[in-house]
Amino acid sequence: MNRWKDRAAITLPRAGIIAHDLFMVWLCWIGLHQFRLSIHPFASPLPWWSIEIALILLAQGLVLWRVGLYRGVWRFASVPDLLNILKASLFGLFAILLALFLYNRLDQVPRTVLVLYPIVLTAMLGMPRLLYRSWKDYSVNRTDQAAVRVLILGAGQAGEALLRDLRRTGSYQAVGFLDDAAKLHGSHLQGVPVLGRVSDVARIAPETAARLLIIAMPSLDAASMRQVVAACEETGLPFRTVPRLDDLLEGRSLPGELKEVAIEDLLGRKPVTPDWKSIRGWLGGRSVLVTGGGGSIGAELCRQCARHGARQIAIVEMDELALTTIEAQLRRDFPQIQCVPVLGDCGDPAVIRYALSLSAPEAVFHAAAYKQVPVLEAQLREAVRNNVLATETVACATQAAGVATFVLISTDKAVDPVNVLGATKRLAEMVCQARSDPQSTRFVTVRFGNVLDSAGSVVPLFREQIRSGGPVTVTDPEVTRFFMTIPESCQLILQAAAIGSRHAIYTLDMGEPVSIRLLAEQMIRLAGKHPERDVAIIYTGLRPGEKLHETLFHADECYRPTAHPKILQAEAREIVQQDVFDATARLREAIATYDLETLAQVLRESVPEFMPQQDNGEPHAGTVVAFPARHARRT
């Protein structure tokens, strides 16, 4: 019964539309002939029905169906539908000419009718559709009495699309646009006036009684977005923004969805657009293995691999809840991907050998690591065991299994390290370099800065402190960090893996470093509060192992551009392979006996640039190496 009801619900409206269009074709043909008769009264009258008219309806009806006119929805009829109708009318004219030529050699068909037919038919078919849409829009707009009055910032394509979406919902009433283009001032967009510049929002918002501001400028850079947000904050009204195109394409936002302005929208750098063609060409159809696949970086890396063509994803994770969560997400969102979960420590040789034999990957992404700087300063054994020796274990097993590519996820803290995290990640880089062999696995290292909203990031900490009413704790008023988003960091990893040569270190042009003090102030403002007045900021001093400023390259590393304009390759510094192997062997012995003194000694000997902050008592700013221009060369 339900099947018949469903078929009727589809068939009856479509049959009604077909009947309407055929009636319009008949009316157009008869009407044009009547017009012709009114000009020439001695012309032969056309009967209301004949074989000739039946042929015309058949020919035009087949063309209308073939062109796809009945796949459109009247509720959303627009200019593309009108162009489709015009195309159908022109092709229909040719079909009619052919049918009538075969039937009666076009006997007594006036040329005036043939010339006017496609134009008049386009109007007769298109007008009802547009009127129906206007009526539906009007019926929605009639419920605007209780709608929220909104002021839209940006009168471009995004603003126009937003206005249509707002009208469809009926929950919002647009009272005006603001745009910096002087030529738009005083004009109307779909009946809504453009009232002034964006900077005038504090004056115009009260005049229009707006209750919500919507920023419809998704292409704004971070500096301009900060100015717009500052102007919105002056009004005291809540404000939202439309999602960026890359958020829509990556599934992080839905079309028509309004979202709060996030702190990543205010960073001082445009997101990097990867070369998806090269990534999909390298990743498509492959089996990959991700260690630490339940963490913030590892989980997003799994999602990116699934989204861009991986055939199978093996996940090694020691946290059972994190493993269950990412496995459930992958099975729900990417049912076509074969997911292979393995619960265990990737530093256990048996675990990693089992995972490799189970999945037979063609690429391994080593994301498992301890990353909390203050914690690792007091947990040297675990830092070395997990960040250095586990990396060696995975690298050796990867080579033994004949895996084509091994990608190590490193950090900017490995450059001139002053903390245990940086030193252990630098030694992990050296382990991969020592293992590199032209005849076996290709080792690639990806190095980037802090990741927004990752586990342990300062952003969730600030958000929680602001939610609790403060104070927000900043280590030092001068401290700066490079920032990137979780999706962007994973895109960089995939891009580097796609273009990577044998043991190269890749890093991203992350723009200017962001002041943590400024970051805290912006997050407080985004929460609708004022720094120092509503939420206090206190400075606690640099924690053990922290720098004032991070760097992305060591002063002795030679770097050059790559195929991607925003990614640079650093040539690895020379190392003595046997010294690295000896160091890891000594570290394993010290791990087994929990010998912290030996661990610290070997770590300092293996990483000569490791200069712990407590040695001199002064905050370490690092050796600043500027990120070069795209075509720069340094040798």
Side-chain angles (χ1 to χ4, degrees), residues 611-633:
M611 298 178 59
Q613 179 179 322
Q614 54 267 31
D615 285 359
N616 50 36
E618 296 294 330
H620 196 286
T623 304
V624 177
V625 180
F627 199 96
R630 176 177 178 181
H631 300 293
R633 289 285 192 276

Side-chain angles (χ1 to χ4, degrees), residues 90-103:
L90 291 172
F91 285 137
L93 176 62
F94 293 131
I96 290 171
L97 289 174
L98 178 60
L100 293 183
F101 178 79
L102 295 176
Y103 174 65

Side-chain angles (χ1 to χ4, degrees), residues 256-517:
E257 177 185 16
L258 298 179
K259 67 184 189 75
E260 294 185 357
V261 178
I263 189 62
E264 51 262 35
D265 296 325
L266 307 181
L267 290 179
R269 175 181 53 81
K270 291 183 178 180
V272 172
T273 302
D275 181 359
W276 291 121
K277 183 177 180 180
S278 67
I279 290 177
R280 293 188 180 103
W282 173 78
L283 185 63
R286 289 178 180 262
S287 173
V288 300
L289 183 146
V290 181
T291 67
S296 51
I297 298 296
E300 178 63 22
L301 190 56
C302 291
R303 288 188 287 267
Q304 293 278 358
C305 288
R307 188 174 292 121
H308 298 295
R311 169 181 54 84
Q312 175 180 270
I313 300 175
I315 306 169
V316 179
E317 174 59 57
M318 61 191 305
D319 185 330
E320 60 179 346
L321 178 59
L323 180 64
T324 302
T325 301
I326 183 60
E327 180 190 2
Q329 289 179 359
L330 292 178
R331 294 193 187 281
R332 179 195 65 204
D333 298 336
F334 307 98
Q336 76 282 5
I337 301 296
Q338 185 178 354
C339 184
V340 183
V342 177
L343 180 64
D345 184 354
C346 65
D348 183 341
V351 170
I352 194 65
R353 283 198 302 268
Y354 174 75
L356 289 169
S357 64
L358 198 64
S359 59
E362 295 163 90
V364 171
F365 296 92
H366 184 47
Y370 288 142
K371 308 179 183 71
Q372 302 307 307
V373 171
V375 174
L376 296 186
E377 289 300 297
Q379 304 293 336
L380 178 61
R381 179 184 183 275
E382 283 305 296
V384 172
R385 186 194 66 81
N386 201 40
N387 291 358
V388 180
L389 300 183
T391 299
E392 183 182 50
T393 297
V394 177
C396 291
T398 298
Q399 276 188 315
V403 178
T405 303
F406 178 94
V407 181
L408 171 66
I409 300 172
S410 188
T411 170
D412 57 358
K413 294 176 177 60
V415 179
D416 289 322
V418 300
N419 50 50
V420 170
L421 170 61
T424 54
K425 294 301 283 186
R426 172 59 192 149
L427 186 51
E429 293 179 1
M430 295 166 65
V431 167
C432 292
Q433 184 178 352
R435 291 282 170 187
S436 181
D437 183 347
Q439 305 302 319
S440 64
T441 301
R442 176 175 62 109
F443 285 89
V444 177
T445 296
V446 183
R447 186 190 289 165
F448 49 78
N450 293 342
V451 179
L452 287 170
D453 267 339
S454 63
S457 166
V458 71
V459 172
L461 173 63
F462 284 173
R463 190 177 292 122
E464 182 59 33
Q465 290 175 337
I466 294 169
R467 187 180 296 115
S468 302
V472 173
T473 55
V474 178
T475 55
D476 190 282
E478 302 299 324
V479 69
T480 62
R481 292 291 183 267
F482 293 100
F483 281 102
M484 65 194 311
T485 64
I486 293 176
E488 189 178 11
S489 65
C490 294
Q491 291 165 8
L492 167 64
I493 295 168
L494 294 178
Q495 184 73 77
I499 66 176
S501 58
R502 293 195 172 272
H503 195 73
I505 299 174
Y506 292 91
T507 193
L508 176 68
D509 180 355
M510 302 182 70
E512 296 297 322
V514 177
S515 166
I516 301 299
R517 175 185 57 82

